[in-house]
Amino acid sequence: MDSEEQFDQLARREEELRALASRGRRRSLLIMILAFVPSPFLVMETNHDRSLLGIIPVGIACVVTISYSWTKWQRRPEDSQSVAFVGLDRKRQWATFRSMRDGTGIDDPVVLTIVESIHHHLRRSIPTVVVTMVGIAATTVALVETAGNGVRLWVPAVIVMVTGGAIAGHRWVINRAGVVIGRSRQH
C-alpha cells in the first residue's frame, strides 16, 4: 500500500470516528437526560417531602453535570473517541463486548482505535478513580452511620464490597483491553 492510499485510509477512519463521536455525544446526552429526569422525584419520595424546593438542588446538579459533559466532549477529542463507542451500531458494540469477554482480537480498525483510546484513558485515570470511589464509599458509610436510624452493619459492608468490586472491575477492563489490543495488533 503506497503512502497516498494509507493517507486516504486514515482520513476515512478519522472522518468515521468524528461521525461516531457526534452520534455518541447525542446518544449520551439523551441517556443522561433520561437518567436524570426521575432523580428529583426519587429524592422527594425518599425524603417524604412533596415540596418543590427539594428539586432545585438536584435539578441544578443535573444541569451542571450535563453541561460539563457536553463541553468536555466538544473540547477534548480524546474523550470524544471514548464517547464514539456509544455512537457505534449494536452489531459493532456487541462484537466488541464479545472480544473483551473472550480476549480475542478486534478486526475493525475504527473500533480498535476507540478501544485503544478507552484503554489509554482508563490507565491514565486509575489513581483518580480509586481515590474517588474510596472517598465516595467512606462518605456514604459515614453518612449512613451518623444517620442514627438503627442501620445494620451489613449496609456499610455492602457499600465497601460494591466499591471493591467497582475498582476490581475497572482493573479487569484495563487488563482485558490490553490483551485484546495486543491480540488485535498480531493480525
Side-chain angles (χ1 to χ4, degrees), residues 6-31:
Q6 284 181 322
F7 181 77
D8 288 342
Q9 186 180 31
L10 288 173
R12 282 191 305 274
R13 187 181 304 167
E14 186 63 31
E15 187 176 311
E16 184 178 1
L17 279 169
R18 210 173 302 117
L20 288 170
S22 178
R23 187 177 328 137
R25 282 192 299 269
R26 286 190 307 272
R27 285 181 180 174
S28 296
L29 180 64
L30 181 63
I31 290 167

Side-chain angles (χ1 to χ4, degrees), residues 6-168:
Q6 284 181 322
F7 181 77
D8 288 342
Q9 186 180 31
L10 288 173
R12 282 191 305 274
R13 187 181 304 167
E14 186 63 31
E15 187 176 311
E16 184 178 1
L17 279 169
R18 210 173 302 117
L20 288 170
S22 178
R23 187 177 328 137
R25 282 192 299 269
R26 286 190 307 272
R27 285 181 180 174
S28 296
L29 180 64
L30 181 63
I31 290 167
M32 290 173 76
I33 290 170
L34 291 176
F36 285 143
V37 165
S39 299
F41 304 105
L42 290 172
V43 169
M44 286 173 55
E45 186 62 32
T46 304
N47 291 335
H48 305 292
D49 183 10
R50 300 287 183 241
S51 169
L52 294 179
L53 291 176
I55 293 177
I56 293 170
V58 176
I60 290 171
C62 294
V63 169
V64 168
T65 302
I66 290 171
S67 174
Y68 169 77
S69 296
W70 185 262
T71 303
K72 184 175 86 166
W73 295 333
Q74 293 285 8
R75 291 186 182 162
R76 297 188 57 196
E78 65 275 12
D79 289 341
S80 293
Q81 283 193 344
S82 297
V83 172
F85 185 80
V86 179
L88 289 171
D89 59 59
R90 283 193 173 93
K91 182 180 176 186
R92 290 167 91 182
Q93 285 179 347
W94 282 106
T96 307
F97 292 143
R98 281 190 298 278
S99 290
M100 289 293 287
R101 182 193 66 207
D102 301 338
T104 58
I106 297 173
D107 296 328
D108 187 335
V110 172
V111 174
L112 181 59
T113 302
I114 293 169
V115 170
E116 286 173 336
S117 175
I118 293 169
H119 181 252
H120 177 71
H121 179 73
L122 289 175
R123 278 191 11 213
R124 197 178 63 220
S125 67
I126 289 173
T128 305
V129 168
V130 171
V131 167
T132 301
M133 287 184 183
V134 169
I136 290 170
T139 304
T140 306
V141 167
L143 287 171
V144 166
E145 287 297 320
T146 59
N149 293 336
V151 176
R152 304 278 189 249
L153 181 61
W154 67 268
V155 173
V158 168
I159 293 169
V160 170
M161 288 182 352
V162 167
T163 303
I167 292 170

